[in-house]
């Protein structure tokens, strides 16, 4: 979802916060919400907290600059949608509708052709650290997990 056209068109510098929803099992699908959020917020996650049930999980992410984002996952599926709040007071609902696999595959092929890495190592490590903390947060509901 990092390459979803709808997400790439957002003015990242003006984002005040994000509420994300998506579907299916946490283990496989949380990355599809974490990666776009961290990419768009452009700031490391400081800590996060989670709650879950058999049908639903929720995570609250606090970024190092104090902004917040939430992730809501439904185990029986749901489209990937961001509700983005901007510093100017605007609020926009953004659904990844276009085929985001095409730009992903183009970046993948470019990587194999010329070695261009589309995502920095630092950001990849931030995303994976947040995912690891999310696993801990869901095992310790209501507790902040520092990253």
């Amino acid at each position: 979802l990092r390459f979803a056209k709808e997400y790439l068109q957002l003015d990242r510098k003006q984002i005040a916060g994000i509420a994300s929803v998506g579907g299916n099992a946490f283990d496989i699908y949380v990355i599809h919400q974490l990666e776009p959020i961290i990419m768009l917020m452009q700031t490391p996650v400081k800590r996060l907290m989670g709650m879950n049930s058999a049908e639903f999980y929720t995570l609250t992410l606090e970024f190092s600059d104090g902004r917040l984002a939430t992730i809501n996952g439904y185990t029986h599926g749901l489209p990937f949608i961001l509700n983005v709040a901007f510093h100017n007071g605007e609020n926009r609902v953004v659904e990844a509708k276009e085929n985001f696999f095409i730009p992903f595959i183009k970046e993948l092929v470019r990587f194999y052709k010329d070695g261009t890495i589309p995502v920095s190592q630092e950001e990849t490590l931030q995303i994976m650290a947040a995912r690891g903390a999310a696993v801990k947060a869901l095992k310790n509901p209501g507790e902040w997990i520092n990253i």
Side-chain angles (χ1 to χ4, degrees), residues 45-114:
V45 178
K46 177 181 171 183
R47 62 186 185 158
L48 54 81
M49 181 184 348
M51 300 288 289
N52 64 342
S53 69
E55 306 294 326
F56 175 80
Y57 61 89
T58 186
L59 298 164
T60 300
L61 293 75
E62 181 184 357
F63 288 81
S64 60
D65 61 5
R67 292 179 296 160
L68 297 174
T70 59
I71 291 175
N72 293 293
Y74 299 86
T75 58
H76 297 295
L78 193 69
F80 291 103
I81 299 170
L82 299 180
N83 189 342
V84 183
F86 295 92
H87 292 298
N88 65 4
E90 179 189 356
N91 188 43
R92 190 178 316 152
V93 175
V94 182
E95 183 177 352
K97 288 184 178 182
E98 285 197 32
N99 188 340
F100 49 83
F101 284 111
I102 293 172
F104 166 71
I105 295 300
K106 285 180 181 179
E107 289 295 328
L108 186 62
V109 168
R110 188 168 75 132
F111 168 73
Y112 283 112
K113 279 185 172 180
D114 65 17

Side-chain angles (χ1 to χ4, degrees), residues 111-131:
F111 168 73
Y112 283 112
K113 279 185 172 180
D114 65 17
T116 301
I117 300 170
V119 181
S120 73
Q121 179 180 353
E122 180 180 278
E123 189 173 319
T124 299
L125 292 173
Q126 289 174 17
I127 292 163
M128 295 315 295
R131 189 192 181 287

Side-chain angles (χ1 to χ4, degrees), residues 2 7-16 36 38-42 67 86-87 123:
R2 159 182 290 280
Y7 295 173
L8 295 175
Q9 294 173 342
L10 296 170
D11 183 355
R12 297 175 192 186
K13 292 180 177 165
Q14 295 304 314
I15 295 175
I38 292 172
M39 172 194 71
L40 291 167
M41 296 291 269
Q42 298 183 315
R67 292 179 296 160
F86 295 92
H87 292 298
E123 189 173 319

